[in-house]
Amino acid sequence: TDDPIPTPSVPPPDILRCAYMEIVVTDLAASREFYVDVLGLTVTEEDDEVVYLRSIEEFIHHNLVLRQGPVAAVAAFSYRVRSPQELDRAVDFYTELGCRVERRAEGFTKGIGDSVRVTDPLGFPYEFFYDVEHVERLAWRYDLYTPGALVRLDHFNQVTPDVPRATRFMQDLGFRVTEDIQDDAGTVYAAWMRRKPTVHDTAMTGGDGPRMHHVAFSTHEKHNILAICDKLGALRRSDAIERGPGRHGVSNAFYLYLRDPDGHRVEIYTQDYYTGDPDNPVITWDVHDNQRRDWWGNPVVPSWYTEASLVLDLDGNPQPVRERTDDSEMGVTIGADGFSYTRRDEDEEMPEWKKGEYKLGHQL
Amino acid sequence: TDDPIPTPSVPPPDILRCAYMEIVVTDLAASREFYVDVLGLTVTEEDDEVVYLRSIEEFIHHNLVLRQGPVAAVAAFSYRVRSPQELDRAVDFYTELGCRVERRAEGFTKGIGDSVRVTDPLGFPYEFFYDVEHVERLAWRYDLYTPGALVRLDHFNQVTPDVPRATRFMQDLGFRVTEDIQDDAGTVYAAWMRRKPTVHDTAMTGGDGPRMHHVAFSTHEKHNILAICDKLGALRRSDAIERGPGRHGVSNAFYLYLRDPDGHRVEIYTQDYYTGDPDNPVITWDVHDNQRRDWWGNPVVPSWYTEASLVLDLDGNPQPVRERTDDSEMGVTIGADGFSYTRRDEDEEMPEWKKGEYKLGHQL
Amino acid sequence: TDDPIPTPSVPPPDILRCAYMEIVVTDLAASREFYVDVLGLTVTEEDDEVVYLRSIEEFIHHNLVLRQGPVAAVAAFSYRVRSPQELDRAVDFYTELGCRVERRAEGFTKGIGDSVRVTDPLGFPYEFFYDVEHVERLAWRYDLYTPGALVRLDHFNQVTPDVPRATRFMQDLGFRVTEDIQDDAGTVYAAWMRRKPTVHDTAMTGGDGPRMHHVAFSTHEKHNILAICDKLGALRRSDAIERGPGRHGVSNAFYLYLRDPDGHRVEIYTQDYYTGDPDNPVITWDVHDNQRRDWWGNPVVPSWYTEASLVLDLDGNPQPVRERTDDSEMGVTIGADGFSYTRRDEDEEMPEWKKGEYKLGHQL
Amino acid sequence: TDDPIPTPSVPPPDILRCAYMEIVVTDLAASREFYVDVLGLTVTEEDDEVVYLRSIEEFIHHNLVLRQGPVAAVAAFSYRVRSPQELDRAVDFYTELGCRVERRAEGFTKGIGDSVRVTDPLGFPYEFFYDVEHVERLAWRYDLYTPGALVRLDHFNQVTPDVPRATRFMQDLGFRVTEDIQDDAGTVYAAWMRRKPTVHDTAMTGGDGPRMHHVAFSTHEKHNILAICDKLGALRRSDAIERGPGRHGVSNAFYLYLRDPDGHRVEIYTQDYYTGDPDNPVITWDVHDNQRRDWWGNPVVPSWYTEASLVLDLDGNPQPVRERTDDSEMGVTIGADGFSYTRRDEDEEMPEWKKGEYKLGHQL
Ligand SMILES: [Ca+2]
Ligand SMILES: [Fe+2]
Ligand SMILES: [Fe+2]
Ligand SMILES: [Fe+2]
Ligand SMILES: [Fe+2]
């Protein structure tokens, strides 16, 4: 990266985990129906403007905030830190970086106490908090489970033009990389990084940014994810299914990508692996490996690469989006100069059914 | 249909179920590896030329015969009948139709006794038998199960140009239709029909025929099908996955389509419904309903519509393929004059990610 | 058997399948809560006295009728026949046997037309019908599925003192035996028999009878059965779980036994095998094989052997119960003279944890 | 506790997770067959005396060591620490407590480098290490998965007479309690405690000790655990199943307990919840709650309460076992003075089938 973000002289806050995302939705009733009636998230609290939602195993006030607003966007990527004292560290860390930093003793959303919001050096609205209202952990409430029950918030995914620059900054913030996608020339297309010992709390996806690629909830088993698809079919809302279900190469998890009524992307995810050891082996995937994003080699739809949600600054205005200048993952894997393989050292082209619509100029 | 096949004056044989398919493969070792090492079918018997395979819950000698030969094709769609006497009925039934009929007391394949092979009026090589060697039903042998264990042969699927003509003939043969795909003008694109009380023992798919579209084995649960995909990924053979996994609209079953080393298509299938009552409701799906073939609205790859296996006459020569003259399902659902919908009475076009590569002239 | 039921000179009715059970319950509200709110059966129709319930894949009016009454009992084991004409056959068949036979053109329960009820030679209230009101098959209504969705009625289970006598009679009625439990002396402890090609439509369990042992509904997958247990725990109704979940030896199905508010036993069941061929291999289990009833060797609770529901005559009075005189399965597998083994030819006794409470005089 | 273990003045080592258990087995071939051929653990390395095994998602050398020896026992409960420096802390911590401490730069088992073994104040052989040989993480090797694949080592479980005493000591060692079982008088029957953010890395079970109650491996899904039971049935080894499968109340996980050829108890476990926040709510279960150990209220077999493995001192001699003086969980929940309930405030006794063999003087 030509333009590295300097490493602050002060230590970063000790982050526990990604905790909630606040999204702005343009039709609160429609979004509530999607997240509550279709996906089955639990309403902790709500009013005419905001709905606070949580997953079944959660004991903090919320994992997702839906806020009515004029433009669909993300207001906050919010992380829980290990103690109240870590908020001071967050303030110092971002202040030294010249970021805009706001702190409110009473918190920015209901249920959350003292918290810090910043516009980070990559342009994302990040939040840190420790104080939070405890609510009933519904894990044992099997009378409330639906066939597609979402049990935890698993991770965020952010779109940013320069992945190595973003990754190094996140490492300064205390994150550890678990997997990434590169090519032989060293271009990095995406990177996954964690605080809690799963594959990630957030990932950096190369593209025009800052934008929000998706927010991911986990289920207990794979059939729970299939049940969500089945229900969307029954509701004649199958067009909400953008990609999957499938098995990821990266993370080894089973996945599904949905689009909510505003187009915000939601992943449903299950069964990645433990990454908590300091020497956890980092896995680098070749961008031309057709199993990297879908272990079964099923084509990624173009919208998944190109579309993402705007993010807001601390005044609630959309952040300007800067173009990626490195190669695009979609471009190098298909199109005139792109290629993908199932078996690295084989010359044979992939069969038609694995190429999807990514062949430049593909015709029926 | 302009050219109906006359209904014979004699009764058809009383068919129990689809029992096995005999396929010609061009590289027996490669096919054996696919069906045995990858898919886990059990070898009942084998020699240098032929491999006899069965599923875990089967007690008859085989459900699939792989025979080494010069051209990949299907040598027999074989059905079990209720008693030895039914073979005489089969002979009479097809003889009256002017079909070529052969009978061998010792059977056409190992493990099978007295049997009748015909080239049916649609051009397919059909076989009927009752006598069969019993082998161990491995249902309780959980020490032999793999994560993707195939437990039963479920159905065949045949490609034929004129679906109503074929369906009426199959009804004369004693089959009952359970579901079909039509348009408002009454064009029939496919029909499913059964003897045993599942959704089908075979289906007629509109297209250039006679050809074999696929043979289907069932698993106990959906995760077994996902395990097959995962294993193919691990073996770097994910390009064998042509379509799915997904949930069918038609049949309500969970499915996956694979292509074997010769391109023969194999479906893995689970959890359709009981159809054994005479008044079992027939379900007609609109061809423009985007959930008919995949309940989640995921696009069908073109190869699934266009590619199929040749079938052989009783001398082992490939049958000539006649073109379909009715509209093609792929043509009417995409392309210049085609369309599909998620919600019937909505004008809104489907999102890009649901259109797949079927948009005529789609460009990256 | 010393007292065989004569084989009628007329043919039996052509039975399709077990179709519904009518049970008398002493607290209709409590039973409705159990079957609808807890188990998720669908109410087709109801009034103050009766609730008509069906499973998700059913298209006939009901699979279970709850009728308020003074004594918990079974009013009908009801089977669907292949055509209206079969009712005449049923009348003739049972009339020749000297049974009490009633026929009502308008049927005995809502949704059912012309039907025949008999007290059969074994003392059970049997019903036969063809005419039935069709209702929506909810198979595709995944918006209505619960985690423990019951998809089909699978079978009945009847308690009768003399199993061979009952079995021969049922064979005269057109049933085929699929599995049974015997000892070396030829005593038969239980037998499973079918019309539809699953392991059974009903089973005969040796014991004081006539009584109803259980009625069984099936789920798609094993996790659906576990979900029912989890929900019962969440509702603090785990004491409704009498036995299981477990894997049966007989039938190879996965199972769970519940007790409803009146003590009627309900089985939840999934994944037995196809039995539709005339030469389907019959499996005989040794009564001393500790894996016959639970493949994992987990002890059967005594109540499962000893408790069962009364059955009614056609006037609604409980049938007298006659004692079994043959050895009891519980007696021969435990107790002073009983034994069970995990490995037939091994002298070693089973470990304490496999013996359960069946050891005569077991003390803490 | 009357006899608290003093809190050392020095900080404890920073423990990452339970990493492996070393057990002494009396017939190495029999044990290898059980853990490798039946349970499917992967052999990293082996010789005539020792077998080193790991789970599918593991990247360190082993999770289980089988060592041939004269007396079945546990040689080490081994934990991985965050860095090499933590070993010095471990030495100081236990030295101050007056424990026997041994350190070997080359480690005590193959694949492990510099490590510390101690006999802890509770009498257990504990080990700490950081240096370890990395091996292939087989997570993506679906070609190697069995239906019951064990993916991680999840936790240990130790038997100790005085649970509060042990718990306080473990808290000094840096563990956090997540759940426990108590009665109204404050007697503690068991406690679960963790370093990694699952419900536990180890648990303290009240009883005669020090002994090892069990070691637990996790699977991805519940059906994997059922598959292990099915396979044991197929191998006619169902008597290895001591308890379960079932759903725990404590931990909310799905479980199964097996006994290996030496009687060492192995749990198979899946799907507990995230506990990594410092204020994670501690759950206290009432010892009389019949759903605490099995959410479905199925009886715990007595052997599960009373039997456990010896543990060794650093010379390889079995530690003497000290009796529990507090009430026993089995005693207070059954027997003359014991009781259990499904619904706390209900007087009604549990049905017979829920009491199991724990009724004092229960007779057939
Ligand atoms: Ca496509
Ligand atoms: Fe993701
Ligand atoms: Fe099919
Ligand atoms: Fe049953
Ligand atoms: Fe445990």
Side-chain angles (χ1 to χ4, degrees):
Chain A
T1 212
D2 304 328
D3 179 27
I5 298 160
T7 299
S9 65
V10 296
D14 185 351
I15 296 171
L16 288 169
R17 56 163 171 144
C18 62
Y20 78 89
M21 186 178 280
E22 178 181 337
I23 60 177
V24 178
V25 299
T26 61
D27 179 343
L28 186 61
S31 294
R32 189 191 188 285
E33 187 195 31
F34 182 77
Y35 287 103
V36 178
D37 300 332
V38 179
L39 292 185
L41 288 173
T42 298
V43 178
T44 297
E45 203 171 342
E46 65 183 320
D47 60 32
D48 285 358
E49 298 294 315
V50 198
V51 182
Y52 302 84
L53 300 169
R54 72 182 193 274
S55 55
I56 282 198
E57 293 185 356
E58 188 55 82
F59 72 95
I60 65 170
H61 188 266
H62 56 254
N63 298 129
L64 186 68
V65 178
L66 311 177
R67 185 179 301 277
Q68 173 76 43
V71 179
V74 174
F77 298 78
S78 185
Y79 294 85
R80 195 162 191 221
V81 294
R82 190 170 300 277
S83 70
Q85 291 69 44
E86 299 300 324
L87 294 195
D88 298 328
R89 291 188 165 194
V91 168
D92 293 349
F93 182 87
Y94 285 99
T95 299
E96 180 173 338
L97 286 165
C99 296
R100 181 166 164 194
V101 175
E102 285 197 21
R103 183 171 187 168
R104 286 194 201 162
E106 78 286 11
F108 291 81
T109 66
K110 276 195 189 171
I112 307 293
D114 187 13
S115 55
V116 172
R117 285 200 175 181
V118 305
T119 299
D120 82 0
L122 306 167
F124 292 97
Y126 260 44
E127 184 187 67
F128 304 94
F129 71 92
Y130 174 77
D131 288 340
V132 67
E133 195 176 312
H134 286 208
V135 289
E136 185 188 356
R137 179 173 250 160
L138 300 169
W140 287 263
R141 292 293 305 276
Y142 290 102
D143 52 321
L144 303 179
Y145 277 61
T146 58
L150 305 181
V151 301
R152 306 187 194 175
L153 174 74
D154 192 85
H155 63 266
F156 306 139
N157 189 306
Q158 307 171 236
V159 188
T160 193
D162 184 338
V163 173
R165 179 173 185 264
T167 300
R168 271 168 229 164
F169 167 66
M170 293 300 285
Q171 289 171 318
D172 286 343
L173 188 57
F175 284 73
R176 285 169 183 275
V177 172
T178 55
E179 306 198 25
D180 64 12
I181 295 176
Q182 302 191 17
D183 63 17
D184 289 346
T187 303
V188 183
Y189 296 87
W192 285 256
M193 55 206 69
R194 64 106 188 162
R195 286 293 305 174
K196 66 175 156 45
T198 61
V199 170
H200 51 325
D201 286 281
T202 194
M204 293 292 164
T205 299
D208 307 344
R211 290 186 300 164
M212 187 276 286
H213 194 273
H214 63 264
V215 56
F217 289 90
S218 56
T219 63
H220 279 140
E221 303 201 332
K222 296 181 286 290
H223 63 80
N224 300 119
I225 292 182
L226 305 179
I228 292 171
C229 298
D230 288 337
K231 183 175 180 181
L232 286 163
L235 297 171
R236 287 284 159 184
R237 296 182 70 155
S238 63
D239 49 349
I241 300 172
E242 185 190 29
R243 181 185 155 206
R247 168 79 62 191
H248 282 308
V250 174
S251 84
N252 203 27
F254 192 74
Y255 74 87
L256 170 73
Y257 292 100
L258 304 177
R259 300 292 289 270
D260 86 359
D262 280 295
H264 295 305
R265 188 178 288 108
V266 182
E267 183 180 15
I268 320 293
Y269 179 95
T270 192
Q271 291 161 25
D272 59 3
Y273 56 91
Y274 169 80
T275 60
D277 285 13
D279 55 345
N280 180 69
V282 176
I283 298 174
T284 291
W285 297 79
D286 180 4
V287 73
H288 301 292
D289 178 351
N290 193 41
Q291 295 185 182
R292 75 198 181 290
R293 290 214 175 260
D294 184 277
W295 186 244
W296 310 336
N298 283 338
V300 178
V301 290
S303 61
W304 190 90
Y305 280 124
T306 59
E307 301 179 12
S309 296
L310 294 174
V311 300
L312 302 179
D313 66 19
L314 300 189
D315 298 319
N317 298 317
Q319 287 281 54
V321 171
R322 197 159 55 83
E323 246 182 83
R324 174 168 169 94
T325 51
D326 280 350
D327 283 342
S328 87
E329 185 170 339
M330 188 165 76
V332 300
T333 54
I334 47 135
D337 302 320
F339 70 97
S340 293
Y341 58 80
T342 304
R343 289 168 291 279
R344 182 191 280 266
D345 298 318
E346 208 178 82
D347 281 340
E348 212 181 310
E349 225 187 336
M350 291 196 303
E352 283 297 305
W353 59 77
K354 283 309 193 201
K355 294 181 182 169
E357 48 203 316
Y358 311 120
K359 297 157 291 192
L360 198 61
H362 179 264
Q363 299 273 339
L364 187 56
Chain B
T1 210
D2 303 329
D3 178 25
I5 297 162
T7 299
S9 65
V10 296
D14 185 352
I15 296 169
L16 289 169
R17 56 162 171 142
C18 61
Y20 79 88
M21 186 178 279
E22 178 181 336
I23 60 177
V24 178
V25 299
T26 61
D27 180 343
L28 188 60
S31 294
R32 190 192 189 286
E33 188 195 30
F34 181 77
Y35 288 103
V36 178
D37 300 333
V38 180
L39 292 184
L41 288 173
T42 298
V43 178
T44 298
E45 205 171 339
E46 64 183 318
D47 60 31
D48 284 358
E49 296 294 314
V50 198
V51 182
Y52 303 85
L53 300 169
R54 72 181 193 277
S55 55
I56 282 199
E57 293 185 355
E58 189 54 83
F59 73 95
I60 66 171
H61 188 265
H62 56 254
N63 298 129
L64 187 67
V65 178
L66 311 177
R67 187 178 300 278
Q68 173 75 45
V71 178
V74 174
F77 298 78
S78 185
Y79 294 86
R80 193 161 194 223
V81 294
R82 191 171 298 276
S83 70
Q85 292 70 45
E86 300 299 326
L87 293 195
D88 298 329
R89 291 188 166 194
V91 169
D92 294 349
F93 182 86
Y94 285 99
T95 300
E96 181 173 337
L97 287 165
C99 295
R100 180 166 166 194
V101 175
E102 286 197 21
R103 183 171 187 167
R104 287 197 201 159
E106 77 288 10
F108 292 82
T109 66
K110 276 198 189 165
I112 308 291
D114 188 13
S115 54
V116 173
R117 284 200 176 184
V118 305
T119 298
D120 83 0
L122 306 168
F124 292 97
Y126 259 44
E127 184 186 63
F128 304 94
F129 72 92
Y130 173 78
D131 287 340
V132 67
E133 193 176 312
H134 286 207
V135 290
E136 185 188 357
R137 180 173 249 159
L138 300 169
W140 288 263
R141 293 292 305 277
Y142 291 103
D143 51 322
L144 302 179
Y145 278 60
T146 58
L150 304 182
V151 299
R152 308 186 194 178
L153 174 73
D154 191 84
H155 64 265
F156 305 142
N157 189 305
Q158 307 170 237
V159 188
T160 194
D162 185 336
V163 173
R165 181 174 182 265
T167 300
R168 271 167 228 163
F169 167 66
M170 293 299 285
Q171 288 171 318
D172 286 343
L173 187 57
F175 284 73
R176 287 169 182 274
V177 172
T178 54
E179 305 198 27
D180 64 11
I181 295 176
Q182 302 191 16
D183 63 18
D184 290 346
T187 303
V188 183
Y189 295 89
W192 285 256
M193 54 206 71
R194 64 105 188 163
R195 286 294 306 173
K196 67 175 155 46
T198 61
V199 169
H200 53 322
D201 285 282
T202 193
M204 293 293 165
T205 299
D208 306 344
R211 291 185 298 164
M212 186 276 284
H213 194 273
H214 63 266
V215 56
F217 289 90
S218 56
T219 63
H220 278 141
E221 302 201 331
K222 296 182 287 289
H223 63 80
N224 300 118
I225 293 184
L226 305 179
I228 292 171
C229 298
D230 288 337
K231 184 175 178 180
L232 286 163
L235 296 170
R236 287 282 157 187
R237 297 182 70 155
S238 63
D239 48 351
I241 300 172
E242 183 189 29
R243 182 187 153 204
R247 166 78 64 190
H248 281 308
V250 174
S251 83
N252 203 28
F254 193 75
Y255 74 87
L256 171 72
Y257 293 99
L258 304 177
R259 299 293 289 272
D260 86 359
D262 280 295
H264 295 306
R265 187 179 287 108
V266 182
E267 183 180 13
I268 320 294
Y269 180 95
T270 192
Q271 293 162 24
D272 60 2
Y273 56 91
Y274 169 81
T275 61
D277 286 12
D279 55 345
N280 180 68
V282 176
I283 298 174
T284 291
W285 296 79
D286 180 4
V287 73
H288 301 293
D289 178 351
N290 193 42
Q291 295 187 182
R292 76 199 178 289
R293 288 213 177 264
D294 185 277
W295 185 245
W296 310 335
N298 284 338
V300 179
V301 290
S303 61
W304 190 91
Y305 281 124
T306 59
E307 301 178 13
S309 295
L310 293 174
V311 301
L312 302 179
D313 66 21
L314 300 189
D315 298 320
N317 298 317
Q319 287 280 56
V321 171
R322 196 159 56 81
E323 246 183 82
R324 174 170 171 91
T325 51
D326 281 350
D327 283 343
S328 84
E329 186 170 338
M330 188 165 76
V332 301
T333 52
I334 47 132
D337 302 319
F339 69 98
S340 293
Y341 58 79
T342 304
R343 289 167 291 278
R344 182 191 278 268
D345 299 318
E346 207 178 83
D347 283 339
E348 212 181 312
E349 225 187 336
M350 289 197 305
E352 283 298 306
W353 58 79
K354 284 308 192 198
K355 294 182 182 169
E357 48 202 314
Y358 310 120
K359 293 157 293 185
L360 197 64
H362 178 263
Q363 300 274 339
L364 186 60
Chain C
T1 210
D2 305 326
D3 178 28
I5 298 161
T7 298
S9 64
V10 297
D14 185 351
I15 296 171
L16 289 168
R17 56 163 169 143
C18 62
Y20 79 88
M21 185 177 281
E22 178 181 337
I23 59 176
V24 177
V25 299
T26 60
D27 179 343
L28 187 60
S31 294
R32 188 192 190 283
E33 189 196 29
F34 181 77
Y35 288 103
V36 178
D37 300 332
V38 179
L39 292 184
L41 288 173
T42 298
V43 177
T44 297
E45 204 171 340
E46 65 183 320
D47 59 31
D48 284 358
E49 297 293 315
V50 198
V51 181
Y52 303 85
L53 299 169
R54 72 183 194 274
S55 56
I56 282 198
E57 293 185 356
E58 188 53 80
F59 74 95
I60 65 170
H61 188 267
H62 56 255
N63 297 129
L64 186 68
V65 178
L66 311 177
R67 186 177 302 276
Q68 173 76 44
V71 178
V74 173
F77 298 78
S78 185
Y79 294 85
R80 194 163 192 221
V81 294
R82 189 171 300 279
S83 71
Q85 292 69 44
E86 300 300 327
L87 294 195
D88 298 329
R89 292 188 164 194
V91 168
D92 293 350
F93 182 86
Y94 286 98
T95 299
E96 182 174 336
L97 286 165
C99 296
R100 180 166 165 193
V101 175
E102 285 196 24
R103 183 171 187 168
R104 287 195 200 160
E106 76 286 13
F108 291 81
T109 66
K110 276 197 191 168
I112 307 291
D114 187 13
S115 53
V116 172
R117 284 201 176 182
V118 306
T119 299
D120 83 0
L122 306 167
F124 292 97
Y126 259 45
E127 183 187 65
F128 304 93
F129 71 92
Y130 174 77
D131 288 340
V132 66
E133 195 176 310
H134 285 206
V135 289
E136 185 187 357
R137 179 173 250 157
L138 300 170
W140 288 262
R141 292 294 304 277
Y142 291 102
D143 51 322
L144 302 180
Y145 278 60
T146 57
L150 304 181
V151 301
R152 306 185 195 178
L153 175 73
D154 192 85
H155 63 267
F156 305 141
N157 190 304
Q158 306 169 236
V159 187
T160 193
D162 184 337
V163 173
R165 180 172 183 265
T167 300
R168 272 166 230 166
F169 167 67
M170 293 300 286
Q171 288 171 318
D172 287 342
L173 187 58
F175 284 71
R176 287 170 182 276
V177 171
T178 55
E179 306 197 26
D180 63 12
I181 295 176
Q182 301 190 18
D183 62 19
D184 289 346
T187 303
V188 183
Y189 296 88
W192 285 256
M193 51 206 71
R194 65 105 188 160
R195 287 293 305 174
K196 65 174 159 44
T198 60
V199 170
H200 52 324
D201 286 281
T202 194
M204 292 294 163
T205 299
D208 306 344
R211 291 186 300 162
M212 186 276 283
H213 195 272
H214 63 265
V215 56
F217 289 90
S218 57
T219 63
H220 278 142
E221 304 200 329
K222 295 181 286 290
H223 63 80
N224 300 119
I225 293 183
L226 305 179
I228 292 171
C229 298
D230 288 336
K231 184 175 177 181
L232 285 164
L235 296 171
R236 287 283 158 185
R237 297 182 68 157
S238 63
D239 48 351
I241 300 172
E242 185 190 28
R243 182 186 153 204
R247 166 79 62 190
H248 281 310
V250 174
S251 84
N252 202 27
F254 191 75
Y255 74 88
L256 170 73
Y257 293 100
L258 304 177
R259 299 294 288 273
D260 85 358
D262 280 295
H264 295 306
R265 187 179 288 107
V266 182
E267 183 181 13
I268 320 294
Y269 181 95
T270 192
Q271 292 161 28
D272 60 2
Y273 56 92
Y274 169 80
T275 61
D277 286 14
D279 55 346
N280 179 69
V282 176
I283 298 174
T284 290
W285 297 79
D286 180 3
V287 72
H288 301 291
D289 178 351
N290 193 41
Q291 294 186 181
R292 75 199 181 289
R293 291 215 176 260
D294 186 279
W295 186 245
W296 310 336
N298 284 337
V300 178
V301 289
S303 61
W304 191 91
Y305 281 123
T306 59
E307 301 179 11
S309 296
L310 294 174
V311 300
L312 301 179
D313 65 21
L314 300 188
D315 298 319
N317 299 316
Q319 288 280 56
V321 171
R322 197 160 55 82
E323 247 183 81
R324 175 171 170 90
T325 51
D326 280 352
D327 282 344
S328 85
E329 185 170 340
M330 188 166 75
V332 301
T333 53
I334 48 137
D337 302 320
F339 69 99
S340 293
Y341 58 79
T342 304
R343 290 167 291 279
R344 183 191 278 267
D345 299 318
E346 209 177 81
D347 282 339
E348 211 181 311
E349 225 188 337
M350 292 196 304
E352 283 296 306
W353 57 79
K354 284 309 192 200
K355 295 180 181 172
E357 48 203 314
Y358 311 121
K359 294 158 293 188
L360 198 62
H362 178 264
Q363 300 273 342
L364 185 60
Chain D
T1 212
D2 303 327
D3 179 28
I5 298 162
T7 299
S9 66
V10 296
D14 185 352
I15 296 171
L16 289 168
R17 54 163 170 145
C18 62
Y20 80 87
M21 186 179 280
E22 178 181 339
I23 60 177
V24 177
V25 298
T26 60
D27 179 343
L28 187 60
S31 294
R32 190 193 189 283
E33 189 195 31
F34 181 77
Y35 288 103
V36 177
D37 300 333
V38 179
L39 292 185
L41 289 173
T42 298
V43 177
T44 297
E45 203 170 341
E46 63 183 320
D47 59 33
D48 285 357
E49 297 293 316
V50 198
V51 182
Y52 302 85
L53 300 169
R54 72 183 193 273
S55 56
I56 282 199
E57 293 185 356
E58 188 54 80
F59 73 95
I60 66 170
H61 188 266
H62 56 255
N63 298 129
L64 186 68
V65 179
L66 311 177
R67 185 178 302 276
Q68 174 76 46
V71 178
V74 174
F77 298 79
S78 184
Y79 294 86
R80 194 162 194 222
V81 295
R82 189 170 301 278
S83 70
Q85 292 70 46
E86 299 300 325
L87 294 194
D88 297 329
R89 290 188 167 196
V91 169
D92 294 348
F93 182 86
Y94 285 98
T95 300
E96 180 173 338
L97 286 165
C99 297
R100 181 167 164 193
V101 175
E102 285 197 22
R103 183 171 186 166
R104 287 196 201 160
E106 79 285 12
F108 292 81
T109 68
K110 276 198 189 168
I112 307 291
D114 187 14
S115 53
V116 172
R117 285 200 175 182
V118 306
T119 298
D120 82 0
L122 306 167
F124 292 98
Y126 260 44
E127 183 187 67
F128 304 93
F129 71 91
Y130 174 78
D131 287 341
V132 67
E133 196 177 308
H134 285 207
V135 291
E136 186 189 357
R137 178 174 250 157
L138 299 169
W140 287 262
R141 292 294 303 277
Y142 291 102
D143 52 322
L144 302 180
Y145 277 60
T146 57
L150 304 182
V151 301
R152 307 186 194 177
L153 174 73
D154 191 85
H155 63 266
F156 305 141
N157 189 306
Q158 307 170 236
V159 187
T160 194
D162 184 336
V163 174
R165 181 172 182 263
T167 301
R168 269 167 231 163
F169 168 66
M170 293 301 285
Q171 287 171 318
D172 286 343
L173 188 57
F175 284 73
R176 286 169 182 273
V177 172
T178 55
E179 305 198 25
D180 64 12
I181 295 176
Q182 302 192 16
D183 62 19
D184 289 345
T187 303
V188 183
Y189 296 88
W192 286 256
M193 53 206 72
R194 64 105 188 162
R195 286 295 305 174
K196 68 174 155 43
T198 60
V199 169
H200 52 324
D201 286 280
T202 194
M204 292 294 163
T205 299
D208 305 345
R211 292 185 298 163
M212 187 276 285
H213 194 272
H214 62 264
V215 56
F217 289 90
S218 57
T219 63
H220 278 141
E221 302 200 333
K222 294 181 288 289
H223 63 82
N224 301 117
I225 293 183
L226 305 179
I228 292 170
C229 297
D230 289 338
K231 184 175 179 182
L232 285 164
L235 297 171
R236 286 283 158 184
R237 297 182 69 157
S238 63
D239 48 349
I241 300 173
E242 184 189 30
R243 181 185 155 204
R247 166 79 64 192
H248 282 308
V250 174
S251 82
N252 203 27
F254 192 75
Y255 73 88
L256 170 72
Y257 292 99
L258 305 176
R259 298 293 289 271
D260 85 359
D262 279 295
H264 294 306
R265 187 178 288 108
V266 182
E267 183 180 15
I268 320 295
Y269 180 95
T270 191
Q271 292 161 25
D272 59 2
Y273 56 92
Y274 170 80
T275 61
D277 286 13
D279 54 346
N280 179 69
V282 176
I283 298 174
T284 291
W285 297 78
D286 179 4
V287 74
H288 300 292
D289 178 352
N290 193 42
Q291 295 186 180
R292 76 200 179 289
R293 290 217 176 256
D294 185 277
W295 186 242
W296 311 334
N298 283 339
V300 178
V301 290
S303 61
W304 191 90
Y305 282 123
T306 58
E307 301 178 11
S309 296
L310 294 174
V311 301
L312 302 178
D313 66 20
L314 300 189
D315 297 320
N317 299 316
Q319 287 280 56
V321 172
R322 197 159 55 83
E323 246 183 82
R324 174 170 171 90
T325 51
D326 281 350
D327 283 343
S328 87
E329 184 170 341
M330 189 165 76
V332 300
T333 54
I334 45 134
D337 303 319
F339 70 97
S340 293
Y341 59 79
T342 305
R343 289 168 291 279
R344 182 192 278 268
D345 298 318
E346 211 177 78
D347 281 339
E348 213 180 311
E349 226 188 334
M350 290 197 304
E352 283 297 306
W353 58 78
K354 284 308 193 202
K355 294 181 183 170
E357 48 202 316
Y358 311 120
K359 294 157 293 188
L360 198 62
H362 178 263
Q363 299 275 340
L364 186 61

